[in-house]
């Protein structure tokens, strides 16, 4: 059973990597060295030097944890947790089910998606699809994927860096919303009133019933 979980882990993560890579590469091809440098400077300005540096360290940590989990040295087993197979299967279902959602979210955002907090010159506010109900569905989908993949691994070498990555993502939400409010003004403020951050907003009428 352990081999099934390990193979499923890397198949799910491989699919996730290919999906993200598909949407990152077209942007990199279009960017010149000067525009890339400007993008980095804007991201640092919007997010803060410490936050950007911490995300960079986390990225290295994530890659290292995946390599260690793949190579599986003897000491890795000491970090295993006694998570029941049923919960690990639940994690696998969650991770796999988040992938189509991530795909549709990327399709909605198109060229306006960026892993960094930047606003493009011709940036438009996307309010269609899942964005009609939720302002940050990408973070919601990533939460499901990372929580699922952590349960599936049942190992602290995977769980800890993914938990820290999610905390880093959540810490960006308020900064991202301030950036959007500054760019779109009243249009974004109105958008905020009928949408939830990570989950759809429940109408007050339904809550009072």
């Amino acid at each position: 059973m352990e081999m099934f979980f390990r193979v499923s882990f890397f198949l799910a993560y491989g699919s996730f990597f290919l999906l993200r890579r598909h949407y990152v590469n077209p942007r990199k091809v279009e960017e010149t060295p000067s525009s890339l440098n400007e993008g980095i400077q804007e991201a640092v300005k919007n997010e803060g030097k410490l936050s950007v540096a911490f995300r960079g360290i986390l990225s290295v940590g994530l890659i290292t944890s995946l390599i260690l989990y793949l190579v599986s040295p003897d000491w890795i087993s000491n970090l295993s947790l006694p998570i029941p197979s049923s919960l690990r299967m639940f994690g696998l279902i969650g991770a796999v089910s988040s992938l189509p959602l991530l795909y549709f979210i990327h399709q909605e955002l198109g060229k306006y998606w960026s892993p960094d907090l930047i606003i493009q010159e011709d940036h438009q506010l996307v309010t269609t699809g899942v964005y009609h109900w939720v302002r940050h569905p990408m973070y919601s989908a990533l939460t499901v994927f990372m929580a699922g993949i952590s349960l599936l691994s049942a190992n602290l070498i995977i769980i800890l860096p993914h938990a820290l990555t999610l905390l880093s993502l959540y810490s960006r939400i308020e900064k991202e919303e301030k950036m959007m409010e500054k760019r779109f003004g009243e249009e974004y403020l109105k958008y905020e009133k009928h949408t939830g951050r990570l989950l759809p907003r429940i109408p007050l009428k339904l809550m009072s019933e």
Side-chain angles (χ1 to χ4, degrees):
M1 196 66 177
E2 183 61 32
M3 181 57 69
F4 168 77
F5 286 135
R6 290 181 64 81
V7 171
S8 299
F9 176 93
F10 286 106
L11 285 176
Y13 228 112
S15 301
F16 172 80
F17 175 77
L18 290 174
L19 174 63
R20 300 286 274 186
R21 184 174 181 270
H22 173 73
Y23 288 97
V24 169
N25 275 359
R27 288 179 47 79
K28 297 300 180 184
V29 170
E30 296 174 0
E31 288 177 335
T32 63
S34 60
S35 64
L36 182 60
N37 185 54
E38 290 174 0
I40 293 173
Q41 290 178 352
E42 183 180 352
V44 170
K45 178 182 177 182
N46 291 329
E47 193 172 346
K49 291 181 180 180
L50 287 178
S51 181
V52 172
F54 183 60
R55 280 201 301 113
I57 294 171
L58 275 178
S59 296
V60 174
L62 271 177
I63 294 171
T64 302
S65 71
L66 291 172
I67 293 173
L68 287 172
Y69 189 67
L70 174 63
V71 176
S72 191
D74 293 337
W75 59 268
I76 287 291
S77 60
N78 296 327
L79 298 176
S80 296
L81 297 178
I83 297 177
S85 295
S86 57
L87 277 181
R88 297 181 72 177
M89 187 64 72
F90 181 75
L92 171 60
I93 293 171
V96 171
S97 64
S98 71
L99 296 176
L101 179 57
L102 277 169
Y103 170 78
F104 287 118
I105 291 169
H106 273 293
Q107 287 290 99
E108 287 291 339
L109 279 180
K111 66 176 183 178
Y112 301 128
W113 177 75
S114 170
D116 304 307
L117 293 189
I118 61 173
I119 292 286
Q120 300 178 45
E121 291 184 6
D122 60 342
H123 209 108
Q124 299 293 318
L125 181 60
V126 177
T127 60
T128 55
V130 69
Y131 281 90
H132 180 74
W133 296 283
V134 182
R135 298 195 296 280
H136 305 281
M138 185 78 74
Y139 295 163
S140 304
L142 288 174
T143 297
V144 174
F145 177 80
M146 292 190 179
I149 215 73
S150 295
L151 273 178
L152 176 59
S153 73
N155 197 294
L156 289 174
I157 199 71
I158 295 295
I159 294 171
L160 290 179
H162 282 77
L164 289 174
T165 298
L166 284 177
L167 289 175
S168 175
L169 286 176
Y170 298 154
S171 70
R172 299 200 323 169
I173 292 178
E174 189 170 347
K175 298 173 184 177
E176 184 172 339
E177 295 199 331
K178 287 182 179 179
M179 180 183 73
M180 298 295 279
E181 288 170 3
K182 183 178 180 180
R183 172 66 173 82
F184 296 105
E186 188 64 27
E187 182 183 7
Y188 193 79
L189 293 175
K190 289 180 179 179
Y191 174 63
E192 286 180 307
K193 290 180 180 179
H194 71 267
T195 55
R197 275 185 168 180
L198 298 173
L199 295 172
R201 184 186 294 275
I202 300 175
L204 293 177
K205 290 191 297 183
L206 293 178
M207 294 180 64
S208 60
E209 291 179 356

